Amino acid sequence: MSNNTIAVRRMNKDDLQLAVEWARNEGWNPGLHDADPFYAADPNGFFIAEINGEPVGTASAVAYDDRYGFLGFYIVKEQLRHLGIGMKLCDALLEYMGDRVYGLDGVVAMLDKYVQQMGVAIAHYNARYEGAGRPAEATLADISSVPFEELERYDRRFFPAPRTAFLQSWISRPGSQGRVVTDGDRLVGYGLLRPCYRGFKIAPLFADTPEIADQLFRELAGLAVDQPVFLDIPVCNQAAQELAERYQMQKVFETARVYRGPAPELPLDQIYGITSFELG
């Protein structure tokens, strides 16, 4: 196979489902219905490498607008990782990103490679925590009780670019449940629980205060009683670490958020659950 040409093309939605399956096989535990919102974010941003028509690698470079993008789904079949497939995919991603600032969540073991080959800089570390859902009193309003425009306005505080199409799809996947906290007419926190290949993830979890984050976490985790529950946090948010430890969650995975170009100014102390390691 090493004598054959590596071809890189854009994915269609069926290809993207294959990438989700590969992510599952890598142990990343994606959501059961992630393909639709991912594709909605940017239908042109997903790439697949093939040799003789056989898929051998995947990657994504989602352009949220003309200034910001996010890279992910960087997977090459293990037995073929010496053929330069990853570099071909990387070239396609960087060409598509152009002059945009972009971020990615890289596994710690690969950080030196990312820094050297892509010119990125580490902004902060993230950690995935695993626990179990436990019964909780239902007191919070459903996410559907808030006009989407208000939800999007609040979400925009925590993300470097508009993500309207993604967010509309993300909150409406089968089996997903969202909760909100309001102060009068003002949204002060929201979170979403979605079914994954193993258990559930609470993603995102945004809140103005640690107390609001705790409310949201308890109620969302209470929708998955005795099931594995995962939360991806920026390690620099001490209150998020304390929340995870308070509910006997264990750290199971670590990444680093890196950026090419200036790191966006985000309120990391109010981010208690990152939306996705694949799309930011």
Side-chain angles (χ1 to χ4, degrees), residues 74-269:
Y74 191 60
I75 306 170
V76 175
K77 283 191 173 181
E78 186 172 4
Q79 67 272 27
L80 302 176
R81 290 177 181 172
H82 60 290
L83 301 181
I85 296 165
M87 287 304 299
K88 284 277 192 179
L89 284 164
C90 189
D91 289 345
L93 303 185
L94 298 187
E95 180 181 1
Y96 183 51
M97 284 291 95
D99 294 331
R100 292 177 178 87
V101 172
Y102 65 74
L104 65 93
D105 285 320
V107 295
V108 174
M110 297 287 287
L111 286 181
D112 287 345
K113 182 176 181 179
Y114 294 142
V115 170
Q116 292 170 12
Q117 295 185 356
M118 305 176 76
V120 297
I122 298 171
H124 59 83
Y125 289 89
N126 306 314
R128 173 165 295 168
Y129 280 82
E130 176 182 352
R134 60 185 71 188
E137 184 180 0
T139 62
L140 301 181
D142 189 85
I143 198 169
S144 62
S145 67
V146 174
F148 178 77
E149 294 75 17
E150 173 65 11
L151 182 72
E152 184 180 29
R153 183 200 63 76
Y154 187 74
D155 183 83
R156 185 69 177 82
R157 286 176 46 191
F158 303 95
F159 201 74
R163 52 178 182 174
T164 305
F166 167 82
L167 190 60
Q168 286 175 324
S169 183
W170 190 248
I171 65 175
S172 60
R173 292 305 89 208
S176 292
Q177 300 187 67
R179 295 292 184 268
V180 297
V181 177
T182 56
D183 181 5
D185 294 332
R186 187 171 64 91
L187 189 61
V188 294
Y190 92 91
L192 187 81
L193 180 86
R194 83 186 195 283
C196 297
Y197 283 93
R198 178 170 176 261
F200 295 80
K201 286 182 184 173
I202 296 176
L205 179 57
F206 301 147
D208 284 13
T209 68
E211 293 76 19
I212 293 169
D214 190 275
Q215 281 184 285
L216 286 162
F217 177 86
R218 277 189 286 109
E219 185 152 329
L220 289 168
L223 299 172
V225 174
D226 295 330
Q227 296 293 313
V229 173
F230 298 89
L231 186 69
D232 298 337
I233 71 167
V235 173
C236 55
N237 183 346
Q238 182 64 33
Q241 284 197 70
E242 292 171 358
L243 183 152
E245 292 166 1
R246 185 158 58 248
Y247 294 103
Q248 290 82 54
M249 303 183 84
Q250 302 296 318
K251 186 165 71 171
V252 295
F253 188 64
E254 191 172 24
T255 72
R257 173 66 58 86
V258 301
Y259 293 101
R260 183 194 69 175
E265 294 185 9
L266 299 175
L268 294 172
D269 61 335

